[in-house]
């Protein structure tokens, strides 16, 4: 699998991470045996890279990696100081008509402690299908832009479930009836959460970076089925 490179300089490499690829091996994914993103990059470029932030295995999109371990802390400080802006696209159950801010604490899986978390959700498009999904005779979906103000694990997935608009394809926090419909009727079993863009000032070169990751093929297929037109 060839990994798309969005930006590269002497310090970092920014990639468009595919769906269903782990960034690296971890305790939480100990039963998953396929090659990780770091494995694939090592095979392609014969170099080691060091993730600066994280994306879930089933989330696609923009990911920043350092070329040397000593650069990781420098770039992570951008996240710690909220000097970096990440935007996601999601397809969720139901119609969302107006922007909303979700402020709901998220529990850390290790410490079990709740930490403050905040997400801005902006509606873009919606679609009603004449396909029954329990308990209704039709099914409704919205394309949304999600802007996390904090970076808690599974934050976006938890927050969208919290407001009863879970992300399609989320088998942990989502709606099994809608997930099953996408599988059976639309032949799509991926999580519809994509890290679409990232914006920050490079801490070492001072270059302003606005980087965008194209949507995966399964998203393009749904856009065609839903007759959605949207300029990213």
């Amino acid at each position: 699998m060839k990994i798309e490179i969005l930006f590269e300089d002497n310090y970092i490499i920014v990639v468009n991470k595919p769906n269903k690829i782990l960034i690296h091996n971890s305790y939480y994914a100990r039963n998953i045996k396929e090659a990780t993103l770091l494995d694939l990059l090592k095979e392609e470029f014969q170099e080691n890279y060091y993730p600066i932030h994280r994306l879930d295995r089933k989330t696609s999109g923009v990911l920043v990696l350092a070329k040397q371990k000593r650069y990781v802390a420098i770039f992570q400080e951008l996240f710690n100081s909220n000097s970096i802006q990440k935007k996601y696209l999601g397809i969720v159950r139901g119609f969302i008509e107006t922007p909303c801010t979700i402020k709901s604490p998220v529990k850390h899986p290790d410490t079990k402690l709740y930490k403050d978390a905040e997400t801005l959700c902006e509606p873009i498009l919606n679609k009603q299908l004449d396909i029954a999904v329990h308990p209704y005779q039709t099914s409704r979906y919205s394309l949304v832009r999600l802007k996390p103000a904090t970076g808690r694990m599974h934050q976006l997935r938890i927050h969208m479930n919290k407001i009863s608009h879970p992300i399609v394809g989320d088998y942990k926090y989502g709606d099994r009836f809608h997930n099953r419909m996408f599988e059976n009727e639309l032949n799509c079993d991926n999580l519809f959460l994509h890290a679409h863009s990232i914006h920050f000032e490079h801490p070492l070169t001072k270059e302003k970076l606005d980087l965008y990751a194209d949507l995966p093929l399964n998203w393009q297929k749904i856009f065609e089925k839903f007759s959605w037109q949207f300029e990213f």
Side-chain angles (χ1 to χ4, degrees):
M1 180 185 295
K2 187 174 177 60
I3 305 299
E4 180 186 4
I5 307 302
L6 304 175
F7 175 83
E8 183 177 8
D9 66 7
N10 293 330
Y11 309 100
I12 57 173
I13 185 170
V14 185
V15 305
N16 186 357
K17 186 185 91 64
N19 299 102
K20 300 180 180 178
I21 296 290
L22 283 170
I23 296 175
H24 51 69
N25 292 314
S26 70
Y27 172 79
Y28 297 106
R30 57 193 178 278
N31 295 322
I32 299 172
K33 304 303 181 187
E34 71 254 24
T36 67
L37 178 69
L38 296 186
D39 293 333
L40 295 170
L41 289 171
K42 176 74 171 180
E43 181 180 341
E44 186 170 349
F45 299 108
Q46 289 75 55
E47 297 286 349
N48 291 317
Y49 298 102
Y50 306 90
I52 291 166
H53 58 115
R54 63 177 180 265
L55 290 177
D56 293 341
R57 173 177 172 258
K58 293 185 178 182
T59 303
S60 56
V62 179
L63 183 75
V64 186
L65 306 103
K67 289 192 169 182
Q68 295 187 38
K69 204 168 189 177
R70 61 194 172 102
Y71 298 141
V72 172
I74 297 173
F75 283 87
Q76 282 183 338
E77 183 54 34
L78 294 174
F79 291 90
N80 297 336
S81 62
N82 288 325
S83 300
I84 200 162
Q85 186 180 50
K86 293 188 293 179
K87 297 177 184 177
Y88 293 74
L89 294 175
I91 298 176
V92 303
R93 180 190 73 185
F95 282 180
I96 298 181
E97 305 287 357
T98 57
C100 61
T101 299
I102 306 119
K103 295 182 179 180
S104 179
V106 171
K107 184 167 67 173
H108 193 281
D110 290 330
T111 64
K112 309 302 180 187
L113 297 176
Y114 284 88
K115 291 190 174 183
D116 290 340
E118 180 178 327
T119 302
L120 173 63
C121 173
E122 299 174 333
I124 301 172
L125 296 165
N126 56 45
K127 180 68 175 180
Q128 179 168 301
L129 301 176
D130 292 325
I131 300 175
V133 176
H134 178 81
Y136 303 105
Q137 294 304 307
T138 59
S139 44
R140 292 180 169 187
Y141 302 98
S142 295
L143 174 69
V144 296
R145 182 184 292 110
L146 301 171
K147 299 178 183 178
T150 51
R152 312 304 181 201
M153 184 176 285
H154 296 174
Q155 174 179 319
L156 300 181
R157 295 162 62 187
I158 292 170
H159 273 180
M160 295 314 294
N161 182 55
K162 187 78 175 179
I163 63 170
S164 300
H165 292 287
I167 296 170
V168 174
D170 189 339
Y171 284 82
K172 185 175 178 66
Y173 305 103
D175 184 310
R176 69 183 186 278
F177 298 110
H178 288 268
N179 294 343
R180 195 174 301 147
M181 190 283 279
F182 262 65
E183 279 190 42
N184 297 336
E185 302 291 336
L186 305 178
N187 195 30
C188 285
D189 64 350
N190 288 342
L191 174 70
F192 280 89
L193 180 62
H194 178 72
H196 172 239
S197 64
I198 198 165
H199 312 270
F200 63 96
E201 181 180 290
H202 196 299
L204 298 172
T205 68
K206 305 307 177 184
E207 180 181 2
K208 284 188 165 59
L209 296 177
D210 297 290
L211 304 174
Y212 299 84
D214 288 338
L215 292 169
L217 290 176
N218 62 299
W219 280 75
Q220 297 173 27
K221 182 165 66 173
I222 293 301
F223 270 53
E224 290 176 7
K225 289 180 180 293
F226 286 12
S227 300
W228 277 348
Q229 299 288 331
F230 176 65
E231 292 294 329
F232 299 102

